[in-house]
Amino acid sequence: LLLGMACFNFMNISVASSTKRLKEIALRKVMGGIKKQIIQQFLVENILQCFFALAFGAILAYFLMIPAFDHMIPQMELKFRSYEPESLVIFLLSLLLVIGIISGSYPDFYISRFEAIAIFKGNQKFGSGNFFSRAMLGVQFFLATLTIVGCFSLTDQSIHLAEKDWGYNPKGIFSFYVYSQEQLDKLEKEITSLPELKHYTTATNLIGRGIPLKSIEYENKKISARVFGSSENFVETMQLRLLKGRSLTD
């Protein structure tokens, strides 16, 4: 949403700022310049502007914004990188080309269609009076409103999820993935020697990790439930509050 607002805003600014270059466009057309050449010139200029903006934004994010965010929220550690440096370079170059071309396409095609005679006579209507310019401005305000409302909604939802009672106690619980019985045996041998350990259990999945729905038969009725296997002490370890039934046994 922020990137979309920036693009629409940049398009409006590009159209408005081009009033200072109308005579340049008219003179180029009089001297034999064609519409394609003018479009190419403005597209290249637009991509160069986006390149400098991207470089400045990357430097600002790396040295100022990301460290400040990590300082405010130490639980989340942002990284200005991807798993592979090549993918980060490809992403930034793709972002540059896509944003540069999309944000500059309308101003370039709009400006290049001006007639040289109308420009020299001063009869060329320009800027905010254009329907498409007004439409872009309206979309920009719509995205701004949507962003503000979305921020408040997501913040409220995050607070609700953090304070919600999930029916078990997630605090003080550590989970480890193992991929063989040998790894499980080694892990059990290590953790059972820890005096701080109160309970431990094994399971084929973890609560909240995308357990698929399955159809099961219960009391002669077919119901949909999220099923995964576990050993004893699962209820005690997770501190589950059962609505019905009992804890697992051997």
Side-chain angles (χ1 to χ4, degrees):
L1 291 175
L2 291 173
L3 194 59
M5 278 194 298
C7 287
F8 281 105
N9 186 52
F10 183 65
M11 291 168 70
N12 280 320
I13 292 175
S14 297
V15 172
S17 62
S18 298
T19 52
K20 302 177 181 179
R21 305 183 63 180
L22 287 180
K23 291 185 178 180
E24 172 194 343
I25 298 170
L27 187 60
R28 286 194 60 185
K29 286 193 171 184
V30 171
M31 298 298 293
I34 60 177
K35 182 178 180 180
K36 181 180 178 180
Q37 293 174 332
I38 298 175
I39 292 175
Q40 289 175 347
Q41 174 192 343
F42 279 94
L43 271 178
V44 171
E45 292 178 0
N46 189 71
I47 292 175
L48 283 175
Q49 289 183 11
C50 290
F51 170 77
F52 289 117
L54 180 64
F56 178 74
I59 294 172
L60 189 66
Y62 185 81
F63 290 103
L64 180 62
M65 304 305 294
I66 292 179
F69 185 85
D70 289 340
H71 179 73
M72 289 188 298
I73 309 178
Q75 294 84 357
M76 296 180 61
E77 185 178 356
L78 293 181
K79 296 290 186 182
F80 189 82
R81 62 173 177 81
S82 61
Y83 293 104
E84 297 179 359
E86 295 82 4
S87 61
L88 178 62
V89 174
I90 294 174
F91 168 74
L92 293 178
L93 289 177
S94 302
L95 185 67
L96 171 64
L97 292 177
V98 171
I99 299 303
I101 293 175
I102 291 178
S103 61
S105 58
Y106 169 68
D108 300 339
F109 284 93
Y110 178 64
I111 295 168
S112 62
R113 68 181 177 86
F114 292 166
E115 296 293 337
I117 297 177
I119 293 175
F120 284 127
K121 287 184 177 181
N123 297 330
Q124 180 63 55
K125 294 183 179 180
F126 193 81
S128 60
N130 181 270
F131 170 77
F132 198 72
S133 296
R134 295 198 304 269
M136 287 193 301
L137 191 61
V139 172
Q140 181 182 337
F141 279 114
F142 170 75
L143 290 177
T145 305
L146 188 62
T147 302
I148 294 173
V149 174
C151 286
F152 281 106
S153 299
L154 291 175
T155 301
D156 185 66
Q157 181 70 7
S158 299
I159 295 173
H160 169 71
L161 292 177
E163 297 177 350
K164 181 178 176 61
D165 181 12
W166 294 99
Y168 72 101
N169 183 17
K171 296 181 180 179
I173 296 177
F174 296 89
S175 61
F176 304 92
Y177 283 98
V178 293
Y179 302 95
S180 66
Q181 185 64 41
E182 182 182 0
Q183 290 181 342
L184 178 59
D185 294 339
K186 289 182 179 179
L187 180 61
E188 287 184 326
K189 183 178 179 180
E190 291 292 332
I191 64 175
T192 50
S193 62
L194 298 175
E196 299 87 359
L197 182 68
K198 294 183 178 180
H199 299 282
Y200 83 93
T201 186
T202 59
T204 59
N205 211 321
L206 192 63
I207 295 176
R209 292 293 175 88
I211 306 169
L213 281 170
K214 292 183 178 181
S215 178
I216 63 173
E217 188 172 335
Y218 175 72
E219 294 182 350
N220 299 324
K221 295 181 181 179
K222 287 188 176 182
I223 60 174
S224 295
R226 305 190 186 276
V227 181
F228 63 96
S230 67
S231 62
E232 66 276 8
N233 294 329
F234 184 82
V235 173
E236 291 78 10
T237 303
M238 302 300 294
Q239 298 183 33
L240 287 169
R241 296 191 296 276
L242 299 180
L243 295 178
K244 190 177 180 181
R246 57 172 175 79
S247 179
L248 298 174
T249 61
D250 293 338

